[in-house]
Amino acid sequence: MANVDKDPVCGMVARAEEGFIVFHQSKAYAFCSDLCKRTFLADPEKYAAATPASTPGDADTTRRIAYFSMEVAVDPRMPTYSGGLGVLAGDTLRSCADITIPTVAVSLLYAKGYFDQKLDEWGNQQELPVGWEPSRYVRLLPVTVQVPIENRSVVVRAWQYDITGYTGYSVPLILLDTNVDENTPPDRELTASLYGGDERYRLAQEIILGMGGVRMLRALGYTQLQRFHLNEGHASLLTLELLREQRESAPHAWDFDSVRSRCVFTTHTPVPAGHDQFSYDLVKSVLGEPVPLELMRMLGGGERLNMTLLALNLSQYVNGVAKKHGEVSQEMFPGYSIDSITNGVHSFTWTCDSFKKLYDRHIAGWVNDSFSLRYAISIPKSEIWEAHVEAKGRLIEEVHRRTGMALKPDVLTIGFARRATLYKRTDLVFSDPGKLMEIAGTVGPIQLVFAGKSHPKDEPGKDLIRRVFHFARQLKDQISIAYLENYDMELGRLLTSGVDLWLNTPLRPLEASGTSGMKAAHNGVPSFSVLDGWWIEGHIEGVTGWSIGPGLTNHSDSDSVNGRDAQELYHKLRTVIVPMFYRDRDRWLDIMRQTIAFNASFFNTHRMVQQYAANAYV
Ligand SMILES: *Cc1c(COP(=O)(O)O)cnc(C)c1O
């Protein structure tokens, strides 16, 4: 923003001329006119003290939206997230702060985080506890609340982290924590580990998030909340807390409509098995009956308490996270009305330094107006290439620092980083290693960079990592393959900006949205991906990248699907992608530029949050 002096009386542009400047208590004030200058001089204190824009701090409890999420990625040094869900929550809140959506967010503290990933030379994953000192990043609030867990009153305290936006407005993130002296040693651990422990531990965490979260917001004085946004079903128990609250003020009836009118639910999982469910035996012993069991069965399912069902039944607005995912969810839950709002990423957070400088030069105001990235279409291609070469250099340097491996700056570099779990098919590109070697040997050289953690209990996921290590060893004389440990936000930014091509090979329709390809698009990196999730919307063949396989499949026959997807992957690499990268750089650069103009301008959280405001929060 240009540094223009504003008249402190009327707020218009001041004249930078001698007669229009007044010194008051050794500070200069400039005015637009004699009228304003005289007005000021009549009562300087009144205008000198006034701050130009109100920037609410922690005392501002007039927030209307409460956003609940099991994980939130706010700072790369705070291990309060594991992957996509947390990154999305963080990006959402960063955009809310930028465009002043009056939101307060709730999550858990996780003093022991998720885990640090160590990989040995065979790709065996070892999980180490994460050490971090919360008090260096968040401040303790002087309020506690209690929640019933296994008939005990567990004390919950809260820490605050301010997510400050571009204009100085901030969104408070309230992190709940049970590590207080009053609690028993096991209860003190309840908020320590993200996605750790057994079902009992998980249910206790959801009680703390949902019920403890509502109680904490009340205790902190947030009295004007109009919407409760459940980011995935983990927060569903907040609906029971709202029901219970309502019952206290009107003891003779359960006011379902009142709760429903306040709740917004975003589902992220396209398979029934991905939805949290707890047996009623466990529910009775851990949660008790905040509302009668019969009512819980009515709202959350007869056999088990299904958190998705509970949220569906008590939310007036429900959405999936991409168009296709909305449709898949609608089929899964007929009888409910399920909309879709496609995910995005926070543009400023996921654009690397060299592209930030490039956009600063060509697209004024892009930081707070992601739509304007459309104008990237007229940035000279040579400057796009320069910015990309710089980003690629950074990645190559970091790969060398971490692994000792020397990747080559001129070689087509393919990136793949995501949670190592079966449906992501990390190893699809190695289905036929002979073919891959032949492409690299005869059409043009390639190199690959991987990253991703596997959940500690996901054995098939861990096996995927070992398979990548196996192929890296087998192919190492023809193709350099690096696997970087400890995929996190920092590495995510480095990878999605530093590679030439972003590969994604999920098994349809299991990728609800996917967001890392959107990060790549912000850095001019085209996607080469299976048509699932966001890519169905973002893909224009040969314009923003390339597809793998057809749009629709019956995924029951996954062996033949794997074979066919792999064949198409090799075929396009050989006939289209590798030749274009080496022999038609000009067309390649067209694609890079179109990727930014078409996809970064749309698949961002500024657009997404505005759709939530227009469709869900109204
Ligand atoms: C962006 C991101 C994800 C999510 O990527 P998907 O493409 O949605 O799988 C996961 N982990 C980290 C560290 C990220 O930065």
Side-chain angles (χ1 to χ4, degrees):
M1 263 186 301
N3 201 357
V4 179
D5 268 337
K6 290 279 162 68
D7 183 318
V9 176
C10 65
M12 301 200 314
V13 177
R15 293 166 71 160
E17 295 162 37
E18 210 175 328
F20 296 92
I21 293 171
V22 167
F23 283 88
H24 175 71
Q25 295 184 338
S26 73
K27 208 169 166 265
Y29 295 89
F31 301 92
C32 70
S33 60
D34 257 337
L35 175 64
C36 284
K37 187 169 120 185
R38 270 187 277 119
T39 312
F40 179 87
L41 289 172
D43 187 3
E45 286 312 314
K46 177 174 171 191
Y47 299 103
T51 45
S54 67
T55 51
D58 15 335
D60 177 45
T61 50
T62 60
R63 306 305 167 118
R64 294 191 305 104
I65 318 288
Y67 183 89
F68 283 66
S69 183
M70 196 69 155
E71 45 170 315
V72 185
V74 278
D75 183 313
R77 297 163 304 179
M78 291 166 56
T80 52
Y81 68 100
S82 91
L85 187 73
V87 171
L88 176 79
D91 282 358
T92 300
L93 298 172
R94 281 182 274 277
S95 281
C96 285
D98 282 340
I99 57 184
T100 328
I101 304 236
T103 307
V104 54
V106 182
S107 189
L108 306 186
L109 181 73
Y110 306 118
K112 292 183 181 162
Y114 187 45
F115 66 86
D116 267 339
Q117 180 195 48
K118 274 263 163 267
L119 297 171
D120 70 13
E121 59 179 317
W122 304 101
N124 295 306
Q125 171 177 294
Q126 198 191 344
E127 295 109 24
L128 305 176
V130 193
W132 71 295
E133 187 48 63
S135 61
R136 288 180 57 188
Y137 306 98
V138 291
R139 63 179 189 287
L140 189 61
L141 300 176
V143 176
T144 60
V145 297
Q146 300 185 3
V147 287
I149 293 174
E150 293 173 330
N151 280 320
R152 297 183 303 279
S153 251
V154 172
V155 176
V156 181
R157 64 177 173 175
W159 304 76
Q160 182 164 332
Y161 180 93
D162 293 313
I163 300 164
T164 301
Y166 178 66
T167 51
Y169 184 77
S170 62
V171 166
L173 169 63
I174 308 296
L175 297 170
L176 305 173
D177 174 24
T178 58
N179 187 15
V180 297
D181 294 340
E182 296 94 309
N183 290 334
T184 64
D187 285 347
R188 296 180 66 157
E189 293 284 310
L190 284 176
T191 53
S193 303
L194 174 57
Y195 303 141
D198 54 9
E199 278 201 308
R200 175 173 296 267
Y201 187 80
R202 177 66 161 267
L203 180 56
Q205 286 194 329
E206 297 193 10
I207 295 169
I208 294 163
L209 177 67
M211 309 190 75
V214 171
R215 291 180 190 184
M216 183 58 76
L217 291 177
R218 303 297 188 216
L220 291 170
Y222 289 94
T223 54
Q224 302 185 31
L225 297 171
Q226 293 172 355
R227 292 290 177 274
F228 291 82
H229 189 157
L230 290 67
N231 186 42
E232 189 52 302
H234 311 124
S236 295
L237 291 174
L238 79 81
T239 59
L240 298 187
E241 177 64 8
L242 294 179
L243 260 186
R244 209 193 48 77
E245 267 184 353
Q246 196 71 28
R247 173 82 160 195
E248 278 179 358
S249 59
H252 300 296
W254 297 103
D255 194 344
F256 303 111
D257 280 341
S258 156
V259 173
R260 198 174 288 126
S261 68
R262 285 177 283 161
C263 291
V264 166
F265 172 45
T266 301
T267 171
H268 293 262
T269 320
V271 274
H275 298 160
D276 271 350
Q277 306 190 16
F278 301 101
S279 76
Y280 281 109
D281 279 345
L282 189 70
V283 169
K284 267 188 287 184
S285 94
V286 181
L287 173 63
E289 297 191 39
V291 306
L293 199 60
E294 198 183 2
L295 201 62
M296 270 195 258
R297 284 209 155 96
M298 176 188 108
L299 295 165
E303 300 297 310
R304 297 161 72 79
L305 180 60
N306 179 321
M307 293 305 187
T308 301
L309 213 50
L310 180 59
L312 284 170
N313 281 322
L314 286 173
S315 298
Q316 75 160 5
Y317 179 88
V318 180
N319 72 289
V321 290
K323 290 222 175 298
K324 172 76 177 301
H325 176 238
E327 288 161 19
V328 169
S329 305
Q330 182 69 80
E331 272 168 36
M332 217 165 16
F333 302 106
Y336 298 89
S337 164
I338 302 181
D339 198 10
S340 63
I341 293 180
T342 302
N343 282 165
V345 298
H346 186 252
S347 300
F348 188 77
T349 300
W350 296 105
T351 301
C352 71
D353 289 344
S354 57
F355 273 85
K356 275 181 184 153
K357 280 187 226 135
L358 182 67
Y359 300 154
D360 281 345
R361 284 203 301 277
H362 292 277
I363 310 174
W366 71 276
V367 171
N368 208 35
D369 180 3
S370 304
F371 300 112
S372 66
L373 287 169
R374 194 182 192 290
Y375 299 118
I377 205 70
S378 55
I379 297 177
K381 288 188 240 183
S382 58
E383 293 187 43
I384 289 185
W385 187 247
E386 261 168 45
H388 177 65
V389 165
E390 191 179 325
K392 191 170 178 180
R394 288 237 168 85
L395 173 65
I396 288 174
E397 221 171 84
E398 186 64 15
V399 171
H400 186 255
R401 197 183 66 80
R402 291 182 182 218
T403 67
M405 189 180 280
L407 297 182
K408 298 199 178 83
D410 298 331
V411 169
L412 174 64
T413 305
I414 301 175
F416 185 106
R418 41 191 66 79
R419 209 150 42 85
T421 194
L422 270 188
Y423 88 84
K424 301 269 193 183
R425 297 192 298 184
T426 315
D427 57 347
L428 191 79
V429 66
F430 300 121
S431 303
D432 187 343
K435 268 209 173 114
L436 198 63
M437 276 197 292
E438 191 215 312
I439 294 168
T442 60
V443 189
I446 54 180
Q447 52 199 8
L448 291 147
V449 188
F450 287 86
K453 294 178 180 177
S454 184
H455 186 277
K457 289 184 181 154
D458 182 357
E459 287 306 327
K462 291 183 176 179
D463 207 41
L464 276 177
I465 302 176
R466 281 189 284 265
R467 285 172 64 76
V468 176
F469 272 70
H470 164 78
F471 289 114
R473 181 169 313 216
Q474 186 186 329
L475 303 180
K476 74 175 187 318
D477 296 328
Q478 284 83 16
I479 301 175
S480 296
I481 299 166
Y483 200 112
L484 304 180
E485 288 172 326
N486 229 9
Y487 184 38
D488 64 1
M489 284 177 83
E490 216 118 49
L491 197 49
R493 185 157 31 201
L494 205 64
L495 282 165
T496 52
S497 61
V499 299
D500 298 304
L501 184 70
W502 193 247
L503 180 67
N504 192 18
T505 52
L507 185 64
R508 278 165 300 250
L510 301 184
E511 184 87 313
S513 165
T515 52
S516 52
M518 304 174 185
K519 299 170 191 169
H522 276 79
N523 298 287
V525 172
S527 282
F528 181 32
S529 172
V530 164
L531 281 169
D532 199 12
W534 84 281
W535 188 233
I536 297 173
E537 297 162 54
H539 159 260
I540 310 172
E541 184 72 11
V543 175
T544 57
W546 300 271
S547 65
I548 300 169
L552 292 165
T553 62
N554 173 358
H555 66 104
S556 56
D557 187 9
S558 68
D559 273 350
S560 76
V561 170
N562 286 350
R564 201 213 38 225
D565 285 353
Q567 288 318 310
E568 179 150 340
L569 190 159
Y570 295 131
H571 181 71
K572 265 190 200 167
L573 269 185
R574 177 206 306 275
T575 58
V576 182
I577 297 174
V578 180
M580 190 191 297
F581 182 80
Y582 287 108
R583 295 190 271 286
D584 195 353
R585 189 56 54 79
D586 204 52
R587 262 192 79 198
W588 186 272
L589 277 161
D590 277 332
I591 290 177
M592 290 185 73
R593 197 162 65 168
Q594 286 151 194
T595 294
I596 305 166
F598 278 115
N599 285 348
S601 68
F602 185 83
F603 296 99
N604 57 71
T605 40
H606 275 34
R607 183 266 312 154
M608 184 196 83
V609 157
Q610 290 179 54
Q611 287 186 321
Y612 277 102
N615 302 323
Y617 298 160
V618 287

Coordinates of all heavy atoms in Angstrom, one line a residue, residues 81-84 87 350 417-419 424 487-489 492 511 514-517 519, ligand 1:
Y81 N -1.0 -29.6 14.2 CA -1.7 -30.2 13.0 C -1.0 -31.4 12.5 O 0.2 -31.6 12.8 CB -1.8 -29.1 11.9 CG -0.4 -28.8 11.3 CD1 0.0 -29.4 10.1 CD2 0.5 -28.0 12.0 CE1 1.2 -29.1 9.5 CE2 1.7 -27.7 11.4 CZ 2.1 -28.3 10.2 OH 3.3 -28.0 9.7
S82 N -1.7 -32.2 11.7 CA -1.1 -33.4 11.1 C -1.0 -33.2 9.6 O -0.1 -33.6 9.0 CB -1.7 -34.7 11.5 OG -2.7 -35.0 10.6
G83 N -2.1 -32.7 9.0 CA -2.1 -32.6 7.5 C -3.1 -31.7 7.0 O -3.3 -30.6 7.5
G84 N -3.7 -32.2 5.9 CA -4.6 -31.3 5.1 C -5.7 -30.6 5.9 O -6.0 -29.4 5.6
V87 N -4.2 -27.7 7.8 CA -3.7 -26.7 6.9 C -4.9 -25.9 6.4 O -4.9 -24.6 6.4 CB -2.9 -27.3 5.8 CG1 -2.5 -26.2 4.8 CG2 -1.6 -27.9 6.3
W350 N 1.2 -19.5 0.7 CA 1.7 -20.6 -0.1 C 2.4 -20.1 -1.4 O 2.7 -20.9 -2.2 CB 0.5 -21.6 -0.4 CG 0.1 -22.2 0.8 CD1 -1.1 -22.0 1.5 CD2 0.8 -23.2 1.6 NE1 -1.1 -22.7 2.7 CE2 0.0 -23.5 2.7 CE3 2.0 -23.9 1.5 CZ2 0.4 -24.4 3.7 CZ3 2.4 -24.8 2.4 CH2 1.6 -25.1 3.5
A417 N 4.0 -35.1 -2.5 CA 4.0 -35.1 -1.0 C 2.6 -35.1 -0.5 O 1.8 -34.2 -0.8 CB 4.8 -33.8 -0.6
R418 N 2.3 -36.1 0.3 CA 1.1 -36.1 1.0 C 1.1 -37.3 2.0 O 2.1 -38.0 2.1 CB -0.1 -36.2 0.1 CG 0.0 -37.2 -1.1 CD -1.1 -37.0 -2.1 NE -1.1 -35.6 -2.7 CZ -0.4 -35.3 -3.7 NH1 0.5 -36.2 -4.2 NH2 -0.4 -34.1 -4.2
R419 N 0.1 -37.3 2.9 CA 0.0 -38.4 3.8 C 0.2 -39.7 3.2 O -0.3 -40.0 2.1 CB -1.4 -38.3 4.4 CG -1.6 -38.8 5.8 CD -2.8 -38.1 6.4 NE -4.0 -37.9 5.5 CZ -4.9 -38.8 5.3 NH1 -4.9 -39.9 6.0 NH2 -5.9 -38.6 4.5
K424 N -3.9 -42.9 -1.5 CA -3.1 -41.9 -2.2 C -2.2 -42.5 -3.3 O -1.6 -41.8 -4.1 CB -2.3 -41.0 -1.2 CG -3.1 -40.3 -0.1 CD -3.5 -38.9 -0.6 CE -4.1 -38.1 0.6 NZ -4.5 -36.7 0.2
Y487 N 7.4 -34.2 6.7 CA 6.6 -33.3 5.8 C 5.8 -32.4 6.8 O 5.1 -32.8 7.6 CB 5.6 -34.1 5.0 CG 4.8 -33.4 4.0 CD1 5.3 -32.3 3.3 CD2 3.5 -33.7 3.7 CE1 4.5 -31.6 2.4 CE2 2.7 -33.1 2.8 CZ 3.2 -32.0 2.1 OH 2.5 -31.3 1.2
D488 N 6.0 -31.1 6.6 CA 5.3 -30.1 7.4 C 5.0 -28.9 6.5 O 5.3 -28.9 5.3 CB 6.0 -29.7 8.6 CG 7.4 -29.0 8.4 OD1 7.7 -28.8 7.2 OD2 8.1 -28.7 9.3
M489 N 4.5 -27.8 7.0 CA 4.1 -26.6 6.2 C 5.3 -26.1 5.5 O 5.2 -25.7 4.3 CB 3.6 -25.5 7.1 CG 2.2 -25.7 7.6 SD 1.8 -24.3 8.7 CE 1.3 -23.0 7.5
G492 N 6.2 -28.3 2.7 CA 5.1 -28.2 1.8 C 5.4 -27.0 0.8 O 5.2 -27.1 -0.4
E511 N -10.3 -38.8 -2.8 CA -9.7 -37.5 -2.5 C -10.9 -36.5 -2.5 O -11.4 -36.0 -3.5 CB -8.7 -37.1 -3.7 CG -8.0 -35.9 -3.4 CD -6.7 -36.1 -2.6 OE1 -6.8 -36.8 -1.6 OE2 -5.7 -35.5 -3.0
G514 N -8.2 -32.3 -1.8 CA -6.8 -32.2 -2.1 C -6.5 -30.7 -2.2 O -7.3 -29.9 -2.8
T515 N -5.4 -30.2 -1.6 CA -5.1 -28.8 -1.7 C -3.6 -28.6 -2.1 O -3.3 -27.4 -2.5 CB -5.2 -28.1 -0.3 OG1 -4.5 -28.9 0.7 CG2 -6.7 -28.0 0.1
S516 N -2.8 -29.6 -2.1 CA -1.4 -29.2 -2.4 C -1.2 -28.8 -3.9 O -0.4 -28.0 -4.2 CB -0.5 -30.4 -2.0 OG -0.9 -31.6 -2.6
G517 N -2.1 -29.3 -4.8 CA -2.0 -28.9 -6.2 C -2.4 -27.4 -6.3 O -1.9 -26.7 -7.2
K519 N -1.6 -25.2 -4.0 CA -0.3 -24.5 -3.6 C 0.6 -24.4 -4.8 O 1.2 -23.4 -5.0 CB 0.3 -25.2 -2.4 CG -0.5 -25.4 -1.2 CD 0.1 -26.3 -0.2 CE -0.9 -26.7 0.9 NZ -0.4 -27.8 1.8
Ligands
LIG1 C1 -1.1 -28.9 2.0 C2 -0.6 -29.9 3.0 C3 -1.3 -31.1 3.1 C4 -2.5 -31.5 2.3 O1 -2.2 -31.8 1.0 P1 -3.2 -32.7 0.1 O2 -2.8 -32.4 -1.3 O3 -4.6 -32.1 0.4 O4 -3.1 -34.1 0.5 C5 -0.8 -32.0 4.1 N1 0.3 -31.8 4.8 C6 1.0 -30.7 4.7 C7 2.2 -30.4 5.5 C8 0.6 -29.7 3.8 O5 1.3 -28.5 3.6

